[in-house]
Amino acid sequence: MSQKIAYGFGDFGNGFMFDLGQAYLTKFWIDACGIGAGAVAGIFAFTKIFDAFMDPIAGSVIDNRKKIGKAGKFRPVMMISAIILGIMTVVTFTMPSGLSGTQKIIYAYAAYMIWGLVYSFTNDPYGSLASVMSRNSQDRSFMATSRQVGSVGAQFIAGVAFIPLMGIIANGNTGVKEEHGYFWAAAVFAVIGVLMFAVCYFGTRENVKVHRNTGADAEKEGFKDYIKVIFKNGPLGALILMTLFTISAMNTNNQMMVFYAQYNLGNIGLQPIINAIMMGCSIVGVFMIPTLTKHFGQKRTAMWSFVIGAVANIANFFLPQNVIAFIVLVTIGYTALAIPNGITWAMVSNAIDYGEWRSGTRKEAITYAAFNFSRKIAQSLAALVSAGVLALTGYVANAHQTAGALRGIKAAMTLYPGFCLLVAAVVIGFLYKLDEKRFAEIADDLDHGRWEGGKLKGNIK
């Protein structure tokens, strides 16, 4: 139990660094640094696609590790990378003085590309770790819950505390510029994030003994193995497609909230209040994952959550603007998205086992990298939608917005997530075939050293 709880601290720490970029880099670069909204859309789109193609490299490097010590295969890589990620988080919220507009754009590209590469080496081993902590479905559901509680908890704190903390540091009385306020607030969050990863590192163990080829029997994996992992693993393919829509929906919601509060609702001070309600309820919803999956299964719980979230978001777009109605519906939509996002982590661990059963070779990190690829593409898509809508509808930083710009902000905030969740429900309902009964049969085969084609090779480690 202590290990399952400690595992969630990894995503808690991850959220302190990852969620800052998703929620506030758009506003930092546009409003504090003076980079145009169209250029910011390009930065996010290109760097996230670049990051996506770095994931197979990270997965291959991790899976090709030969000397595995007592700390395990994944934990050491995760912890070292988390420290570097903390440093890079602060760097992304830094803009050196004296740079021209073009130089600012180049700096933003470089900093965020490096951040993304380090993130791959942090998140790939962290995600793979769950598959070797336990093979029991209920354990994995609990770890998925623990992880999602950590993730939403970090979103809660980032959503509620970051802007007020930045405001305390940078205001008229302190003389600290707005961009420096972002820097120091990011530094505080990065330190906490690294400390939370340390809790995960020291509190978890790699308990599952699996067959691994070592020495002369080991085959070095490359990009072709990455492609094979995707196209030979049906459940993984369904999760990848689903994630393109769910993560782009969540990130667009997070990125647009500060703009919606400031301009559509007319009070940026509402942003931390709305986030507190929305993410607080999401945490409660995530705690229900073990109970929901026990009674209804992972697939049905995820599918119907998506449907509920889609209805709430679409209704939020068409109803007349009202603060209370908006908060209620955005909370329902976000909670209905947080629940299946938590379940997804257990599904990915199951897909790793399915891949081993199907191919006879276990590739945790490269399988997780394939899944993470879709998350990066989804993040790029969210950035294109968020910054792109601002650019196309005539958004002007720190100014009174036109009716068209306000409609664009509202559509990105509500209608786009609603559409994405509707598509995700169709994908998980019709394409994901690995139910609880089928997985139990596969897990039993693996526990007895069997795969689809016979006996597993390699040493048990």
Side-chain angles (χ1 to χ4, degrees), residues 68-103:
I68 302 174
K70 293 182 179 179
K73 182 176 182 178
F74 304 111
R75 291 166 60 245
V77 180
M78 175 193 75
M79 191 64 240
I80 293 171
S81 299
I83 295 171
I84 303 173
L85 186 68
I87 296 170
M88 287 309 305
T89 297
V90 180
V91 172
T92 59
F93 279 95
T94 303
M95 185 57 67
S97 60
L99 298 183
S100 67
T102 301
Q103 290 170 333

Side-chain angles (χ1 to χ4, degrees), residues 6 15 27 74 103 106 112 221 251 274 324 368 410 428:
K27 191 164 179 61
F74 304 111
Q103 290 170 333
I106 293 172
Y112 206 46
E221 294 157 345
N251 285 358
I274 295 171
I324 302 300
Y368 190 82
K410 185 176 184 180
I428 200 69

Side-chain angles (χ1 to χ4, degrees), residues 57-66 73-74 77 120-122 124-125 128 365:
I57 295 176
S60 296
V61 170
I62 295 166
D63 272 341
N64 287 329
R65 286 190 67 210
K66 299 299 185 292
K73 182 176 182 178
F74 304 111
V77 180
S120 293
F121 277 93
T122 307
D124 283 356
S128 302

Side-chain angles (χ1 to χ4, degrees), residues 90 93 162 165 169 176 179-189:
V90 180
F93 279 95
F162 186 80
L165 177 61
I169 296 171
V176 177
E179 59 264 37
H180 295 157
Y182 277 98
F183 169 87
W184 288 110
V188 171
F189 273 68

Side-chain angles (χ1 to χ4, degrees), residues 107-321:
Y107 177 88
Y109 267 105
Y112 206 46
M113 286 169 70
I114 297 171
W115 183 95
L117 176 61
V118 178
Y119 178 76
S120 293
F121 277 93
T122 307
N123 206 40
D124 283 356
Y126 173 67
S128 302
L129 176 60
S131 70
V132 292
M133 286 179 63
S134 175
R135 191 170 272 152
N136 179 276
S137 289
Q138 286 304 307
D139 284 346
R140 286 181 175 178
S141 290
F142 191 101
M143 283 189 287
T145 301
S146 177
R147 175 173 186 169
Q148 191 67 3
V149 168
S151 175
V152 179
Q155 289 177 33
F156 177 90
I157 295 172
V160 171
F162 186 80
I163 291 295
L165 177 61
M166 188 272 292
I168 291 171
I169 296 171
N171 59 48
N173 297 324
T174 63
V176 177
K177 294 181 179 179
E178 183 182 10
E179 59 264 37
H180 295 157
Y182 277 98
F183 169 87
W184 288 110
V188 171
F189 273 68
V191 169
I192 297 172
V194 172
L195 291 175
M196 296 303 100
F197 263 111
V199 173
C200 177
Y201 174 80
F202 288 109
T204 58
R205 296 291 181 271
E206 298 183 16
N207 304 298
V208 177
K209 303 301 180 183
V210 299
H211 289 76
R212 299 193 189 280
N213 291 328
T214 57
D217 295 328
E219 295 181 5
K220 195 169 184 178
E221 294 157 345
F223 193 77
K224 68 179 187 304
D225 300 280
Y226 178 79
I227 299 299
K228 288 179 182 177
V229 161
I230 297 175
F231 287 100
K232 287 190 175 182
N233 193 324
L236 177 65
L239 293 176
I240 286 173
L241 183 59
M242 180 197 78
T243 299
L244 288 174
F245 295 97
T246 59
I247 296 303
S248 64
M250 177 171 280
N251 285 358
T252 301
N253 180 296
N254 291 339
Q255 289 172 15
M256 297 308 298
M257 180 62 77
V258 66
F259 292 97
Y260 192 89
Q262 182 172 357
Y263 298 110
N264 292 64
L265 300 181
N267 183 2
I268 195 172
L270 288 173
Q271 185 258 359
I273 296 172
I274 295 171
N275 277 342
I277 297 170
M278 179 178 75
M279 295 175 183
C281 289
S282 297
I283 294 173
V284 175
V286 168
F287 274 114
M288 297 169 58
I289 289 176
T291 301
L292 290 172
T293 56
K294 184 177 180 180
H295 287 88
F296 304 109
Q298 295 174 352
K299 178 177 176 176
R300 288 178 63 197
T301 301
M303 183 179 68
W304 286 108
S305 294
F306 287 142
V307 171
I308 292 170
V311 171
N313 278 291
I314 293 172
N316 221 352
F317 175 77
F318 287 105
L319 288 176
Q321 185 164 293

